[in-house]
Amino acid sequence: MKAILIDDESHNLTNLQVLLNTYCPQVEVCALAHSAEQGKIAVNIYSPDLIFLDIQMPEKDGFDFLRSLNFYDFEVIFVTAFDHYAIQAMRFAAVDYLLKPINIKELVEAVNRAFKQHQLKSQSKQIEYLMDWFKVQSQKEEQRIALSTVEETRFAKVSEIIRCESSNNYTTFFLTDSSKLLVSKPIYEYDELLSGYGFIRCHQSHLINKSFIKSWLKEWGDFLLLNNGTQIPISRGKKQLVKEALKM
C-alpha cells in the first residue's frame, strides 16, 4: 500500500516512517506532509492507499483535512495524543487510531486491518460516516454507530439497538428489525460509548436500551422485562445503578 504520513511535527513523521519501514513491509511511504494543506497536495499527486493522519495540528486539524477532500478512496489510521471527544467519534465510526507514543504491536495490527479493508474497499464509507458523526451530535436519536461483523459494517441508529450481550471478547447486538450482529469487541467498550444514549449496564454481560424496558420483575429474582418479552437479569452490584437510571 502506498502511504502518506501527515503530522505537523517532523520527529513524529520520522519516527513513524522508521517504524513502518521496519515492521510493516507491505507499506511504502511515498510522502511526508507537515500540514493539512501539504497533505491535500500529496493526496492529489500520489493517490495513496493509506494515510496516517495526525488530528491535532495548527490552523487545520486532521478532520479539517478530511472535510477538504471530495473523495475517500483510501484507508485512514489516525495518530493522536489522547482526546476523548475525537476518540469517541472514531470508535463510533469503527475507524482505526493509534495513541502517541506509538505502540509497535498496535501499529502492526492497525496496518494489517487497513490492508484487509483496502482489499474489501469498504473504508471510504466509514470515513464518510465519521464526518457525518460531527454533524448529528445535537440529534442523539439519529446518531448511528458502525458495527463491524465478519460479513459487513452495519451503520445502525442507536435508537434501533434493543440490547447488547457479551460473550468473552465478543458482543452481540439485538436490533429492532430482529437482526443480530456479532461484533469482535468487548461489551465494556460499548458501555462507555452508549452510556450517554440511554443505555444501562444492568449485568456484566448485558447492556440495555432503557427505551425498550417494560418492567422490573422481582418475583424470582431481579430481571428487566423488555417490550419483546425478553428477560434480562440484574446483578446485585448493578441494582442501585439501574434504579437511578430508571428513576425508581
Side-chain angles (χ1 to χ4, degrees):
M1 292 186 293
K2 292 185 298 180
I4 291 174
L5 317 186
I6 305 175
D7 194 310
D8 63 298
E9 298 186 24
S10 296
H11 69 277
N12 288 334
L13 290 173
T14 301
N15 179 60
L16 180 54
Q17 184 175 22
V18 169
L19 291 177
L20 290 169
N21 290 341
T22 305
Y23 298 101
C24 304
Q26 69 271 53
V27 175
E28 174 194 355
V29 178
C30 56
L32 306 180
H34 293 83
S35 67
E37 289 300 326
Q38 288 185 14
K40 187 174 181 180
I41 294 170
V43 167
N44 291 330
I45 294 173
Y46 294 101
S47 299
D49 305 308
L50 174 62
I51 295 177
F52 288 85
L53 180 60
D54 183 28
I55 294 177
Q56 295 161 320
M57 296 185 290
E59 296 183 12
K60 292 185 178 181
D61 65 18
F63 297 126
D64 292 328
F65 162 76
L66 290 173
R67 292 187 188 100
S68 72
L69 302 178
N70 297 318
F71 56 90
Y72 306 111
D73 58 350
F74 46 77
E75 319 304 315
V76 175
I77 297 175
F78 292 93
V79 185
T80 182
F82 185 80
D83 180 323
H84 181 268
Y85 183 68
I87 288 174
Q88 184 186 40
M90 291 183 286
R91 289 170 65 190
F92 259 96
V95 295
D96 261 316
Y97 64 90
L98 297 169
L99 291 177
K100 298 177 181 178
I102 294 174
N103 177 282
I104 294 171
K105 181 175 181 289
E106 292 175 355
L107 171 64
V108 171
E109 290 174 349
V111 167
N112 288 338
R113 283 192 294 269
F115 185 71
K116 291 178 182 177
Q117 291 278 33
H118 176 61
Q119 291 178 312
L120 296 173
K121 297 294 182 184
S122 62
Q123 179 79 0
S124 61
K125 292 181 181 178
Q126 287 164 262
I127 299 300
E128 289 171 6
Y129 171 71
L130 177 64
M131 296 297 96
D132 289 340
W133 188 89
F134 293 101
K135 299 176 184 177
V136 297
Q137 284 304 287
S138 61
Q139 306 171 36
K140 286 196 171 184
E141 70 278 2
E142 296 299 319
Q143 182 63 65
R144 294 178 182 269
I145 184 171
L147 303 175
S148 297
T149 70
V150 175
E151 297 85 12
E152 63 176 344
T153 297
R154 174 84 70 89
F155 297 94
K157 283 186 179 180
V158 170
S159 60
E160 296 172 343
I161 302 171
I162 298 173
R163 65 186 183 94
C164 310
E165 182 173 342
S166 74
S167 176
N168 296 319
N169 287 323
Y170 292 84
T171 301
T172 301
F173 284 75
F174 295 79
L175 306 183
T176 52
D177 64 0
S178 299
S179 61
K180 295 191 293 185
L181 303 176
L182 181 64
V183 179
S184 58
K185 288 185 179 180
I187 197 169
Y188 70 79
E189 289 198 17
Y190 295 106
D191 183 13
E192 180 183 340
L193 275 183
L194 297 173
S195 60
Y197 294 83
F199 282 72
I200 306 171
R201 184 80 176 272
C202 64
H203 187 279
Q204 182 178 354
S205 301
H206 298 281
L207 182 63
I208 309 297
N209 185 339
K210 68 180 183 181
S211 298
F212 296 97
I213 296 174
K214 183 177 182 180
S215 61
W216 183 325
L217 304 177
K218 299 181 180 180
E219 186 175 2
W220 305 106
D222 292 294
F223 291 85
L224 291 176
L225 176 65
L226 306 187
N227 292 337
N228 62 6
T230 304
Q231 295 184 26
I232 305 297
I234 305 171
S235 66
R236 184 177 302 175
K238 299 289 187 181
K239 286 179 65 175
Q240 186 58 37
L241 181 150
V242 175
K243 286 182 179 180
E244 291 173 0
L246 297 178
K247 295 181 171 56
M248 294 179 64

